[in-house]
Amino acid sequence: MTPFFRSLAVIGPGLIGSSVLRRARETGTIAETLIAADTSSRVLERVRELDIADVTTADLAKAAQADCVMICVPVGAVEQVAGQLLPHMKPGSILTDVASVRGQLGPKITAILPENVAYVPGHPMAGTEHSGPDAGFSTLFEDRWALLVPPEGADQNAITTIEKLWTLCGARTKILTDDEHDRICAMVSHLPHLLAFTICDTADNLSDELRAAVLDYAASGFRDFTRIAASDPVMWRDIFLANREALLGTLDRFVADTQAMADAIRKGDEAGIISRIERGRAIRRTLIENRQA
Amino acid sequence: MTPFFRSLAVIGPGLIGSSVLRRARETGTIAETLIAADTSSRVLERVRELDIADVTTADLAKAAQADCVMICVPVGAVEQVAGQLLPHMKPGSILTDVASVRGQLGPKITAILPENVAYVPGHPMAGTEHSGPDAGFSTLFEDRWALLVPPEGADQNAITTIEKLWTLCGARTKILTDDEHDRICAMVSHLPHLLAFTICDTADNLSDELRAAVLDYAASGFRDFTRIAASDPVMWRDIFLANREALLGTLDRFVADTQAMADAIRKGDEAGIISRIERGRAIRRTLIENRQA
């Protein structure tokens, strides 16, 4: 089978980017030539040691020559990197990114798109709390969703191509608007991370003695919340700021629901407590049925 | 090696109780005779099928004849079950329970203790979201803490005996006051559960379309919070009510910390966001060092 692309360039081979490269390397179905670009020579050195790319380069203009160029840098840097890549991209090629907040990225990058270059971003809903080229693995996207957010007027063939790319990575794809995407991610990813960081913060603010005890006895609950709290601070700062509006709106609703549960507990409203817990269990069951748990 | 007790009775062989029975069965070091008591004939039938007790009975007076009687019923029922057991317990025997909220249980049960019967409760900090006799496993307590909360004036030999029992179950032990115990558990277990139930509730309150999307795309964050939301509603209602004061106090601090993070995001206070995230990561690292992650 001929690989799907002649060349695929990953800009920023971290957790997501290096997982795409590993997948492409292992299956041989994605691209004939794999290019990894990064400003960090240490990252490129590591990519060579891992042998997950055919070409490594710090030169974005060179990476921009690929048939498909995938920006995998932190969300705050996507627009700037796109601006550096686009003038060098070939007619007929496709730019994509994996930014986890869409905001105004779609219209902004579309506005600077050269003729005959398509822009079809997509966000794979997968990850771990680890980062960097060593953190990736080829099965990261299996059974996960890649949320495609093509800007208005995006080329239909390019959309189909990026869908196929993610399918080859093992993911299922869905097309959403930027706004839908950002509201969904606020709920499923950004709010949980905010709460995880905050519960650790609350624990950290306890008296020394009590904090030491919490750390000792974290099984059954607390530790589940802390896995994602190990995530990269700069990445998450950028996500929180980029999706500020949707995130704070979701947080307001969550705090209101928390206060309602607190009221039920304060008043000893047994039925109220049970009905809130039951709703949680129902959601969990659905997750298991949807193979997302 | 002679087993530690001649007989051990587990009242309510659910997740915790059946795990103790399995451990005793597998190691042979804990008790010569294992007794399982429950009001449910279905539970007792299941215990017989699993072959994790020598004697099964619905008669608490009979189970009360054991050298060590361990109450493993939901926290709201512990006092009543203790009241039924104590008049039938033998001189020199020990009553213990595994209730996850202490509240006034210690003094209340001490007040009705027959002469020459000791009461040394202990709460193993281990569990899963599953319940019932099928949910247990013999390694549940390994590397976990059993928090012993002997009431004032409890017999020192009995304390040592219950410490040894949990050590034989694979756990490490620590002695705490009731108040210390309840404040620690509010932070490490009860608050995380409240938040887990609530975030599911918030997701459930979304528009149909958005809720369906959240369920589809739950990887990376949301699903971590929902595992514990699958836990038993009646058990958790009882825990929330029993530990109302410590839990609501901890929740208040958490909500205040959440609002501070929200303010930092609203204002674009990058340093403030980073410092809160960094604290979370530090806590997580300590958990890993403490073998609790």
Side-chain angles (χ1 to χ4, degrees), chain B residues 30-133:
Chain B
I30 295 175
E32 239 172 78
T33 304
L34 295 170
I35 301 153
D38 206 283
T39 50
S40 156
S41 57
R42 200 172 51 82
V43 165
L44 294 178
E45 175 64 28
R46 200 60 202 123
V47 167
R48 284 190 292 272
E49 285 164 9
L50 292 166
D51 190 25
I52 51 177
D54 304 299
V55 178
T56 58
T57 179
D59 181 2
L60 287 188
K62 187 175 169 190
Q65 295 300 305
D67 288 354
C68 179
V69 180
M70 179 184 269
I71 302 177
C72 300
V73 303
V75 61
V78 172
E79 189 182 348
Q80 192 209 332
V81 169
Q84 292 174 263
L85 289 163
L86 282 171
H88 306 283
M89 285 184 67
K90 295 187 303 186
S93 66
I94 305 176
L95 180 68
T96 184
D97 72 52
V98 298
S100 49
V101 180
R102 304 314 314 172
Q104 295 303 310
L105 273 180
K108 278 182 179 166
I109 293 178
T110 302
I112 56 169
L113 217 52
E115 212 168 340
N116 290 320
V117 174
Y119 174 53
V120 181
H123 172 211
M125 298 292 281
T128 73
E129 68 276 28
H130 305 297
S131 45

Side-chain angles (χ1 to χ4, degrees), chain A residues 21 25 34 45-54:
Chain A
L21 290 172
R25 200 54 136 187
L34 295 170
E45 175 63 29
R46 199 63 200 122
V47 167
R48 284 190 292 273
E49 284 164 9
L50 293 166
D51 190 27
I52 52 178
D54 305 298

Side-chain angles (χ1 to χ4, degrees), chain B residues 238-262:
Chain B
D238 285 355
I239 289 173
F240 290 164
L241 291 173
N243 203 21
R244 191 183 309 211
E245 204 181 323
L247 173 58
L248 294 177
T250 308
L251 177 61
D252 279 350
R253 284 197 296 280
F254 172 78
V255 169
D257 290 336
T258 305
Q259 302 293 21
M261 177 65 116

Side-chain angles (χ1 to χ4, degrees), chain B residues 64-265:
Chain B
Q65 295 300 305
D67 288 354
C68 179
V69 180
M70 179 184 269
I71 302 177
C72 300
V73 303
V75 61
V78 172
E79 189 182 348
Q80 192 209 332
V81 169
Q84 292 174 263
L85 289 163
L86 282 171
H88 306 283
M89 285 184 67
K90 295 187 303 186
S93 66
I94 305 176
L95 180 68
T96 184
D97 72 52
V98 298
S100 49
V101 180
R102 304 314 314 172
Q104 295 303 310
L105 273 180
K108 278 182 179 166
I109 293 178
T110 302
I112 56 169
L113 217 52
E115 212 168 340
N116 290 320
V117 174
Y119 174 53
V120 181
H123 172 211
M125 298 292 281
T128 73
E129 68 276 28
H130 305 297
S131 45
D134 283 286
F137 48 98
S138 65
T139 55
L140 177 61
F141 311 110
E142 266 175 23
D143 268 341
R144 299 294 165 211
W145 289 95
L147 303 183
L148 268 54
V149 279
E152 232 175 304
D155 179 67
Q156 186 53 53
N157 288 333
I159 295 173
T160 307
T161 300
I162 297 298
E163 282 179 329
K164 173 79 175 172
L165 167 59
W166 284 111
T167 306
L168 289 170
C169 285
R172 294 174 278 174
T173 61
K174 194 94 167 186
I175 292 180
L176 296 174
T177 67
D178 290 341
D179 183 58
E180 285 169 338
H181 173 278
D182 285 357
R183 282 187 300 140
I184 290 167
C185 289
M187 183 75 229
V188 301
S189 174
H190 308 165
L191 178 65
H193 277 82
L194 187 154
L195 298 178
F197 293 131
T198 305
I199 200 171
C200 287
D201 190 21
T202 302
D204 193 61
N205 290 335
L206 296 171
S207 68
D208 285 353
E209 200 184 347
L210 204 51
R211 182 177 56 234
V214 165
L215 289 170
D216 277 344
Y217 314 134
S220 350
F222 189 79
R223 66 193 168 116
D224 280 342
F225 278 58
T226 62
R227 186 186 67 79
I228 60 176
S231 305
D232 183 62
V234 171
M235 177 176 133
W236 280 97
R237 179 201 61 194
D238 285 355
I239 289 173
F240 290 164
L241 291 173
N243 203 21
R244 191 183 309 211
E245 204 181 323
L247 173 58
L248 294 177
T250 308
L251 177 61
D252 279 350
R253 284 197 296 280
F254 172 78
V255 169
D257 290 336
T258 305
Q259 302 293 21
M261 177 65 116
D263 280 347
I265 294 170

Side-chain angles (χ1 to χ4, degrees), chain A residues 145 188 201-202 204 216 222-227 230-231 244 257 266 276 279 281 284 292, chain B residues 145 188 201-202 204 216 222-227 230-231 244 257 266 276 279 281 284 292:
Chain A
W145 288 95
V188 301
D201 190 21
T202 302
D204 193 60
D216 276 344
F222 190 79
R223 65 194 168 114
D224 278 343
F225 279 57
T226 62
R227 186 187 68 81
S231 305
R244 192 183 308 212
D257 290 335
R266 197 171 289 116
R276 284 165 195 282
R279 286 204 287 270
R281 283 161 63 88
R284 176 67 190 177
Q292 293 291 312
Chain B
W145 289 95
V188 301
D201 190 21
T202 302
D204 193 61
D216 277 344
F222 189 79
R223 66 193 168 116
D224 280 342
F225 278 58
T226 62
R227 186 186 67 79
S231 305
R244 191 183 309 211
D257 290 336
R266 196 172 290 114
R276 284 165 194 284
R279 285 203 287 270
R281 283 161 61 88
R284 176 67 190 176
Q292 294 291 312

